mmCIF file with all atom_site columns, all heavy atoms in Angstrom:
data_model
loop_
_atom_site.group_PDB
_atom_site.id
_atom_site.type_symbol
_atom_site.label_atom_id
_atom_site.label_alt_id
_atom_site.label_comp_id
_atom_site.label_asym_id
_atom_site.label_entity_id
_atom_site.label_seq_id
_atom_site.pdbx_PDB_ins_code
_atom_site.Cartn_x
_atom_site.Cartn_y
_atom_site.Cartn_z
_atom_site.occupancy
_atom_site.B_iso_or_equiv
_atom_site.pdbx_formal_charge
_atom_site.auth_seq_id
_atom_site.auth_comp_id
_atom_site.auth_asym_id
_atom_site.auth_atom_id
_atom_site.pdbx_PDB_model_num
ATOM 1  N N   . GLN A 1 243 ? 146.088 137.364 44.563 1.00 84.00 ? 425 GLN A N   1
ATOM 2  C CA  . GLN A 1 243 ? 146.557 135.982 44.450 1.00 84.00 ? 425 GLN A CA  1
ATOM 3  C C   . GLN A 1 243 ? 146.765 135.572 43.003 1.00 84.00 ? 425 GLN A C   1
ATOM 4  O O   . GLN A 1 243 ? 147.808 135.013 42.644 1.00 84.00 ? 425 GLN A O   1
ATOM 5  C CB  . GLN A 1 243 ? 145.545 135.034 45.109 1.00 84.00 ? 425 GLN A CB  1
ATOM 6  C CG  . GLN A 1 243 ? 145.961 133.565 45.083 1.00 84.00 ? 425 GLN A CG  1
ATOM 7  C CD  . GLN A 1 243 ? 144.811 132.639 45.361 1.00 84.00 ? 425 GLN A CD  1
ATOM 8  O OE1 . GLN A 1 243 ? 143.859 132.564 44.589 1.00 84.00 ? 425 GLN A OE1 1
ATOM 9  N NE2 . GLN A 1 243 ? 144.870 131.941 46.477 1.00 84.00 ? 425 GLN A NE2 1
ATOM 10 N N   . GLN A 1 244 ? 145.771 135.835 42.145 1.00 79.00 ? 426 GLN A N   1
ATOM 11 C CA  . GLN A 1 244 ? 145.822 135.347 40.773 1.00 79.00 ? 426 GLN A CA  1
ATOM 12 C C   . GLN A 1 244 ? 146.816 136.116 39.898 1.00 79.00 ? 426 GLN A C   1
ATOM 13 O O   . GLN A 1 244 ? 147.396 135.550 38.976 1.00 79.00 ? 426 GLN A O   1
ATOM 14 C CB  . GLN A 1 244 ? 144.422 135.420 40.146 1.00 79.00 ? 426 GLN A CB  1
ATOM 15 C CG  . GLN A 1 244 ? 143.397 134.536 40.840 1.00 79.00 ? 426 GLN A CG  1
ATOM 16 C CD  . GLN A 1 244 ? 143.790 133.080 40.842 1.00 79.00 ? 426 GLN A CD  1
ATOM 17 O OE1 . GLN A 1 244 ? 144.251 132.539 39.839 1.00 79.00 ? 426 GLN A OE1 1
ATOM 18 N NE2 . GLN A 1 244 ? 143.618 132.426 41.984 1.00 79.00 ? 426 GLN A NE2 1
ATOM 19 N N   . PHE A 1 245 ? 147.011 137.399 40.185 1.00 84.00 ? 427 PHE A N   1
ATOM 20 C CA  . PHE A 1 245 ? 147.931 138.206 39.393 1.00 84.00 ? 427 PHE A CA  1
ATOM 21 C C   . PHE A 1 245 ? 149.310 138.313 40.039 1.00 84.00 ? 427 PHE A C   1
ATOM 22 O O   . PHE A 1 245 ? 150.124 139.144 39.633 1.00 84.00 ? 427 PHE A O   1
ATOM 23 C CB  . PHE A 1 245 ? 147.354 139.606 39.163 1.00 84.00 ? 427 PHE A CB  1
ATOM 24 C CG  . PHE A 1 245 ? 146.198 139.625 38.207 1.00 84.00 ? 427 PHE A CG  1
ATOM 25 C CD1 . PHE A 1 245 ? 144.897 139.611 38.682 1.00 84.00 ? 427 PHE A CD1 1
ATOM 26 C CD2 . PHE A 1 245 ? 146.402 139.630 36.837 1.00 84.00 ? 427 PHE A CD2 1
ATOM 27 C CE1 . PHE A 1 245 ? 143.810 139.620 37.813 1.00 84.00 ? 427 PHE A CE1 1
ATOM 28 C CE2 . PHE A 1 245 ? 145.329 139.637 35.960 1.00 84.00 ? 427 PHE A CE2 1
ATOM 29 C CZ  . PHE A 1 245 ? 144.027 139.629 36.440 1.00 84.00 ? 427 PHE A CZ  1
ATOM 30 N N   . GLY A 1 246 ? 149.562 137.490 41.036 1.00 83.00 ? 428 GLY A N   1
ATOM 31 C CA  . GLY A 1 246 ? 150.855 137.520 41.720 1.00 83.00 ? 428 GLY A CA  1
ATOM 32 C C   . GLY A 1 246 ? 151.950 136.731 41.033 1.00 83.00 ? 428 GLY A C   1
ATOM 33 O O   . GLY A 1 246 ? 153.086 136.716 41.512 1.00 83.00 ? 428 GLY A O   1
ATOM 34 N N   . GLY A 1 247 ? 151.645 136.066 39.926 1.00 83.00 ? 429 GLY A N   1
ATOM 35 C CA  . GLY A 1 247 ? 152.664 135.350 39.159 1.00 83.00 ? 429 GLY A CA  1
ATOM 36 C C   . GLY A 1 247 ? 152.859 133.903 39.524 1.00 83.00 ? 429 GLY A C   1
ATOM 37 O O   . GLY A 1 247 ? 153.759 133.237 38.999 1.00 83.00 ? 429 GLY A O   1
ATOM 38 N N   . PHE A 1 248 ? 152.010 133.371 40.419 1.00 82.00 ? 430 PHE A N   1
ATOM 39 C CA  . PHE A 1 248 ? 152.205 131.999 40.887 1.00 82.00 ? 430 PHE A CA  1
ATOM 40 C C   . PHE A 1 248 ? 152.086 130.985 39.750 1.00 82.00 ? 430 PHE A C   1
ATOM 41 O O   . PHE A 1 248 ? 152.919 130.085 39.623 1.00 82.00 ? 430 PHE A O   1
ATOM 42 C CB  . PHE A 1 248 ? 151.186 131.682 41.983 1.00 82.00 ? 430 PHE A CB  1
ATOM 43 C CG  . PHE A 1 248 ? 151.213 130.257 42.448 1.00 82.00 ? 430 PHE A CG  1
ATOM 44 C CD1 . PHE A 1 248 ? 152.239 129.798 43.248 1.00 82.00 ? 430 PHE A CD1 1
ATOM 45 C CD2 . PHE A 1 248 ? 150.210 129.371 42.079 1.00 82.00 ? 430 PHE A CD2 1
ATOM 46 C CE1 . PHE A 1 248 ? 152.269 128.482 43.681 1.00 82.00 ? 430 PHE A CE1 1
ATOM 47 C CE2 . PHE A 1 248 ? 150.228 128.057 42.503 1.00 82.00 ? 430 PHE A CE2 1
ATOM 48 C CZ  . PHE A 1 248 ? 151.266 127.615 43.307 1.00 82.00 ? 430 PHE A CZ  1
ATOM 49 N N   . SER A 1 249 ? 151.053 131.122 38.911 1.00 77.00 ? 431 SER A N   1
ATOM 50 C CA  . SER A 1 249 ? 150.841 130.154 37.833 1.00 77.00 ? 431 SER A CA  1
ATOM 51 C C   . SER A 1 249 ? 152.001 130.157 36.846 1.00 77.00 ? 431 SER A C   1
ATOM 52 O O   . SER A 1 249 ? 152.458 129.101 36.401 1.00 77.00 ? 431 SER A O   1
ATOM 53 C CB  . SER A 1 249 ? 149.525 130.459 37.101 1.00 77.00 ? 431 SER A CB  1
ATOM 54 O OG  . SER A 1 249 ? 148.422 130.326 37.966 1.00 77.00 ? 431 SER A OG  1
#
Side-chain angles (χ1 to χ4, degrees):
Q425 182 197 65
Q426 297 301 316
F427 288 97
F430 175 74
S431 297

